[in-house]
Amino acid sequence: MNICVVGTGYVGLVTGACFAEFGNPVCCVDKDASKVDALNRGEIPIYEPGLEDVVQRNAKAGRLTFSTDLPTAIRDSLVVFIAVGTPQDENGRADLSFVREVAKAVAENLDSYKVVVTKSTVPAGTGKMIREIIEEHQSEEHPFSVASNPEFLREGSALEDFMRPNRVVLGTEDEASAAILRDLYRPLYLIETPIVVTNVVTAELIKYASNAFLATKISFINEIADLCEPLGADVHVVARAMGLDRRIGPKFLHPGPGYGGSCFPKDTRAAVEIGKDHDIDLRIVRAVIEVNDVRVTRMLEKIRIAVGGTLEGKTLALLGLTFKPNTDDLRESPAMAILDGLLAGGARVQAYDPVAIPLVRDEARDGVTYCADEYEAAQGTDGLVLATEWNQFRGLDFARLKDSMSHPLIVDLRNIYEPSRMRERGFDYTGVGR
Ligand code: UGA
């Protein structure tokens, strides 16, 4: 089955590479020629474990190609996946101009029956909009189907999420396209992946409801963590015991500096806007956003208090800059907001991140030194702030750290260390909600 994936961002690249891995001929299209050239040389523009290997293997086998020629790719395909960006516009809504552009290109190159599928996270109703655009601009009369197949990939484990998903959601408007899409996901039948087949608007909403619910779990546990602090309770034990109730589940109950990245912040805000469009006030989602918005300020307060009441004149080590480990994504990263907050408060910062330093080094920021590793970052500091839980920070050499720091203080915003053990090791230790 010939497939065209439009947009070689995170979602498009993973989708294209994985469908090729399933044995389909896939053409990934992007209008950025330099990106396409790089991909044709086997260079992957994002940091995603395992992706380079899958891309190179399938490109070599001739199943995966990269091109800037959208008309040809559309004409050659039965299924066109739209995986272009849907950035947030100035009102918090998803900006659909790239989606519209692709829909128009499909209309102009519709030379046979095709299924046009949205993979990007798009507001409920976008499928209908795509149908209208294609009908209006169609150069030849051919039947087509519009479908929604939202992705639930996590950055850092996207290949695993694609190959072993909890579920696949197919929103379709007719049996023909449902059969085609089911067929595409046939390799997952072997692992008995549940496939939810529904209509287009329901599929679109499933994506927002899922992300908003996960964000709700995070903001919820963050508030409970805040409450644990004055009470002297331990949020980890609270979360663990809550999670043992199967109706609640143990995942996404880790407190920290708040959720970030390219999905949760944007999708929760877009969900509220979609609600507004239909006179439905999504109060819970609004509260989730509000709790998350004050998270960084609260973390900065925690750090200020830990270092003795003022950031002014302090030198702090900051470990981790990305919004979570195993990605180079800095979008809406709480760690970056903390970096800027520390600098604004008058501290000097010695920062280290395993992958993101080259991405920030050239940004104008006074008072920060980017370091080669954790130990260089800790050298001579008044305290160390752990902002992103990269695996390599879980096994630090504490004796070495203690010797090199001016003051043995750790503010662990991801709760990766055990407070009692850290105190035994001679550190002043502050976690979140413990
Ligand atoms: C998220 C969803 O998990 C995916 O299912 C979805 O497909 C994707 O958004 C998307 O819409 O494209 P992602 O943004 O890659 O994936 O990252 P997550 O692993 O979900 O983490 C999001 C944020 O929540 C991170 O900042 C993370 O540190 C934070 N988080 C997560 C917590 O603070 N506590 C938790 O318990 C879990």
Side-chain angles (χ1 to χ4, degrees), residues 216-242 248 252-256 291 295 298-299 302 415 432-434:
T216 302
K217 285 187 95 172
I218 299 169
S219 277
F220 181 86
I221 204 66
N222 280 337
E223 271 200 329
I224 295 295
D226 290 349
L227 181 58
C228 282
E229 289 177 3
L231 289 176
D234 183 338
V235 70
H236 268 223
V237 184
V238 174
R240 178 158 180 273
M242 280 173 66
I248 298 173
F252 273 70
L253 290 177
H254 298 288
V291 169
R295 216 53 212 151
R298 197 171 162 93
M299 297 300 105
K302 191 183 268 301
N415 284 354
V432 179
R434 314 183 79 178

Side-chain angles (χ1 to χ4, degrees), residues 151-153 155 207 211 252 254 260 263 323-324 414:
E151 56 82 20
F152 301 102
L153 311 174
E155 292 187 18
K207 173 62 195 243
N211 272 3
F252 273 70
H254 298 288
C263 305
F323 83 99
K324 67 171 190 177
R414 297 287 182 171

